[in-house]
Amino acid sequence: MSDKRVLTIQDISCVGQCSLTVALPIISACGVETAILPSAVLSTHTGGFSGYTFRDLSGDMLAIGSHWKKEGIRFDAVYTGYLGSIDQIGYVQTIMEETLVPGGLRIVDPAMADHGRLYCGFTEEFAHRMADLCGIADIALPNITEACLMTGTPYEAGLKDEAYIEALLDKISALGAKCVVLKGVSYEPDRLGVAVRRDGKTSCYFHEKLAKNSHGTGDIYASAFVGALMQGYGVCESAAIAADFTVESMKKTIGDESHWYGVKFEKALPGLVRRVNQG
Ligand code: PXL
């Protein structure tokens, strides 16, 4: 049987359309069995809400992984996103070792920063440890801020040139990541996209740049990427499928100012399902 099973490890933000509440529906909709390991439970995400609750689940993670190991439960890929503590970075490495099938993929979205700043609650030390996790990744999916933080590169806002992006890809690759999908690359004012570095070669996919940044789009992107990849698409094609789905999800949200905390990816899911299953 060639059906793939993925484990995704990230938080449950109960409200806010990010992390597990987007990863589970998106990867499942792609036709891929999706197991979850929550790293923390928050009442909302941390980007714009105040007074949110935060329950760190570090204490449960290794026991959950050991149970799976004992049961002989294995995954074709482990995809990690937002992690709740420095200790969890080590736990994730253990769980990957114990539960991945031989040749299974380690897919790491560092999910800790954007627009030049760490998310609330993260430290520089966390970023250094996250660089270690990206170093063992088969595929790392940082945005530019995260790539800068993990490589000690000064962050520059705005348009970049190719030399800047190539240098950043060199540095992330030097951490050890076999393949890098760098999100948020823009060389022209109205184009945005991703740069994929693999086997020393870079290829880019650009799409229209929408006027507004939206919360949770990094998680939506990574989830669609994982779904497409597990359905047999190549890295570059999965990167493009995920980019188009993210843009479509953002478009579905335009005009609803009350929906500031996330994007209406649900409305774009039918298109993703059609595209992923057409091949
Ligand atoms: O979308 C990334 C993310 C995931 N989980 C939590 C967050 C954020 C970004 O702010 O706060 C809890």
Side-chain angles (χ1 to χ4, degrees):
M1 197 56 163
S2 63
D3 284 342
K4 298 283 192 281
R5 180 194 283 149
V6 174
L7 167 64
T8 182
I9 309 177
Q10 42 191 317
D11 71 284
I12 295 176
S13 287
C14 299
V15 169
Q17 288 181 306
C18 67
S19 40
L20 281 182
T21 66
V22 308
L24 182 55
I26 292 171
I27 304 171
S28 300
C30 289
V32 178
E33 181 183 346
T34 311
I36 61 166
L37 177 41
S39 56
V41 179
L42 295 83
S43 50
T44 64
H45 63 61
T46 66
F49 294 101
S50 56
Y52 47 82
T53 67
F54 184 100
R55 168 85 49 198
D56 181 349
L57 298 181
S58 299
D60 293 326
M61 289 175 72
L62 286 178
I64 291 172
S66 301
H67 179 219
W68 289 337
K69 188 181 173 194
K70 241 185 258 148
E71 290 289 327
I73 294 167
R74 297 289 180 270
F75 303 103
D76 299 289
V78 175
Y79 149 45
T80 68
Y82 183 106
L83 299 178
S85 68
I86 287 183
D87 287 346
Q88 289 188 5
I89 297 173
Y91 300 163
V92 158
Q93 294 182 17
T94 304
I95 291 164
M96 285 172 165
E97 271 156 35
E98 290 184 342
T99 64
L100 273 172
V101 299
L105 293 177
R106 294 164 163 82
I107 303 173
V108 178
D109 178 348
M112 61 182 171
D114 208 356
H115 310 298
R117 295 174 52 192
L118 284 161
Y119 296 145
C120 208
F122 288 117
T123 60
E124 302 257 322
E125 193 194 348
F126 184 93
H128 289 135
R129 288 288 293 114
M130 186 53 88
D132 296 339
L133 187 58
C134 283
I136 62 152
D138 294 289
I139 305 173
L141 296 125
N143 60 34
I144 292 188
T145 302
E146 290 156 350
C148 286
L149 283 164
M150 291 190 292
T151 58
T153 307
Y155 173 80
E156 290 168 21
L159 298 181
K160 309 288 183 299
D161 60 23
E162 267 184 72
Y164 180 93
I165 294 300
E166 286 295 332
L168 206 46
L169 289 167
D170 284 346
K171 289 191 225 172
I172 293 284
S173 303
L175 294 175
K178 292 196 189 77
C179 173
V180 183
V181 179
L182 183 62
K183 300 175 288 187
V185 174
S186 188
Y187 298 141
E188 297 170 67
D190 53 358
R191 308 292 288 165
L192 181 71
V194 290
V196 178
R197 168 68 70 83
R198 201 180 184 201
D199 299 329
K201 288 197 204 89
T202 307
S203 41
C204 292
Y205 179 76
F206 291 104
H207 51 79
E208 69 189 291
K209 184 177 188 168
L210 301 178
K212 221 172 118 225
N213 291 313
S214 303
H215 199 279
T217 49
D219 301 341
I220 286 170
Y221 181 91
S223 302
F225 174 86
V226 169
L229 191 78
M230 289 296 111
Q231 285 293 41
Y233 291 87
V235 171
C236 288
E237 200 161 6
S238 300
I241 289 171
D244 292 344
F245 173 61
T246 307
V247 172
E248 219 30 59
S249 301
M250 291 169 79
K251 282 185 177 171
K252 299 286 186 199
T253 319
I254 290 172
D256 185 350
E257 295 305 320
S258 69
H259 207 95
W260 58 269
Y261 51 84
V263 297
K264 300 182 181 183
F265 72 93
E266 300 89 349
K267 309 278 185 248
L269 269 181
L272 177 69
V273 171
R274 274 194 299 276
R275 185 158 172 198
V276 168
N277 292 312
Q278 80 190 356

